[in-house]
Amino acid sequence: MFWHGLWPLTFSGRPDYAVPPKAWDGSPSMALASASDHGGVAYGVPPVVADRRPGAWQSLFGDDFYDRIHVVPQTLNLGNVSSVQQRVIRVWNAFRARALTLADASLTGGEGIVLTAPGVSPLSFPPLWEQGWQIAVGTDGPPVIAATLTYQFAGFDPIPVVIIGQRIVAWAFTPDWSRGVLERLAWKTDILPSPTQVEQRRGLRSVPRRSFEATMIVDGRERVLLDLAVFGWGGRTWALPVWPDGQWLADEHALGIRVIACDPVHRDFRVGGLVQLRGKTAFEVEVAEVEAIGAASITLRHPTTRAWPRGTRLYPVRTARLAEPPKVTRLSDQAASISARFDVVEACEWPAIVDAPMYRGHPVMVDRPDESETLSAGWQRALLTLDNEFGRPFVLDPADWAAVVQSHRWRVHGRVERASVRSWLYTLRGRQCALWRPTHADDLTLVANVAGTATALDVANVGLARFAGLRPGRRDLRIELRGGEAFHRRITAAVALDDEIERLTIDAALGVDVRPHDIRRISFLVLSRGDSDEAEIEHHTDSDGAADASIVLRAVRDPDIDTSPPV
């Protein structure tokens, strides 16, 4: 038997049913019943019903782009305005077959902003027509720029363009380098010490606060200019040149150029920051924004507004405020000496040291201190005293340990050395982070040859085994050879052989045979942090990077958690 349509037929052609099957009513029960009556095969096939749902028109790219009004940009962020800034706001009628009419373009809160329109309102906009409005923003006006340019097209809602920024003033006066420029870096650290002087240190500032202090001698018109600038705009933000990073341009630079040939290495230039070009007087100044920094040039975001001859001074710029009113010393009716201190108001980042040797998880400060002047040193103990003012006072030393304090001074010659010193300061982060400081003194004297596989050193008896007791600060060594190689090792045992010789056991062999005359110096290594959150750099010139810096380092008793092999 085979199926033909809805009628089952036999080979003889005689139908098996006298009554045609019922029409399917859409119920599952009828379909199952039909399948059961006819050998599990359902003869009722449901009819095809159209699924009618409301549709939605899906727009294409052209629909999103055309038949509307485009205004670019809708928010104009000028950033720090230190000179005249010019921008263009473009309005495009993107309707393909509809002309529009601009009824008005009004500017509110635009003091110090000059708006140049392409025509007089009402202005006709044919289909697919674009027009540009010129915006010129100068330094005259309120310190905070908050203006709105509103476009009103007939039959449309107003279209606002927000203009924001901050006016800053270029500080165009140069310091008296006979007195130098003092730069301060100030971190903030929270320290929780235990009774045994193990510390938990937490830095509360991600970058230090930075300030500059200098004295300027002005006369003639510059004296009056400085007087009026501080009198009128002393509370504003200034575009302060970083004087120690200045340089003289070696080439002529024409009007409207964007690339300035210079040496930006180890100076405070940064992408998105500002630079100052200064001529012979304070009246010849231009501040520009940096777009890119190359190996021997910087690229400005906008062309210069004047030509700059050879010998023009170029400075990186930081935004700053006067920390206090400048102090004026009148020299004559035409000259004055001005002492001013500026607090930088932006974050000043600098890379930490990366090329220093490491020992037990901390860098080793191998730079020898400048000893042209005396260096201070001492010990600090956390003593507890109980005194009732009648009997003898009771004094307890719970840590049984003294924190060694020693000053370190750098005399810097050149920008590479100055950049390294600044990286060390950013590595310490005030009092937060620790490093290994060699005493840079002849603390121990080797008296016998040492094989490369030996771990014992015979040194002149100085009382190490008797007094130090392998305490932190006197249990780590820096062994310097005359050939320039250096080893850092930990003393694991010390014993006095007699009144002349002590034998030290170190944690690892040196790997080379060493004789006493091969030794340049054996110094104690002290794990130390800064004793203050403030550091000072005294700059002497603005051309070769000569500077002095000094800090005081204090020993710490942090537990050793790093098991790196000695080097």
Side-chain angles (χ1 to χ4, degrees), residues 223-290:
R223 180 191 64 82
V224 182
L225 176 63
L226 189 150
D227 173 75
L228 296 176
V230 175
F231 173 79
W233 288 354
R236 293 193 178 188
T237 302
W238 298 86
L240 179 70
V242 182
W243 296 301
D245 287 344
Q247 60 184 300
W248 286 268
L249 298 184
D251 301 324
E252 302 279 343
H253 291 77
L255 168 68
I257 56 96
R258 292 182 56 208
V259 178
I260 298 180
C262 62
D263 180 14
V265 182
H266 300 306
R267 290 180 168 92
D268 202 13
F269 293 103
R270 68 201 183 284
V271 175
L274 302 175
V275 295
Q276 183 186 107
L277 294 160
R278 187 189 189 277
K280 296 181 179 180
T281 69
F283 295 90
E284 305 171 22
V285 173
E286 181 178 355
V287 178
E289 187 176 358
V290 179

Side-chain angles (χ1 to χ4, degrees), residues 1-11 13-21 38 43:
M1 180 178 66
F2 64 93
W3 295 87
H4 178 71
L6 295 179
W7 290 89
L9 302 176
T10 63
F11 290 108
R14 182 179 59 85
D16 291 337
Y17 305 99
V19 180
H38 303 284
Y43 65 86

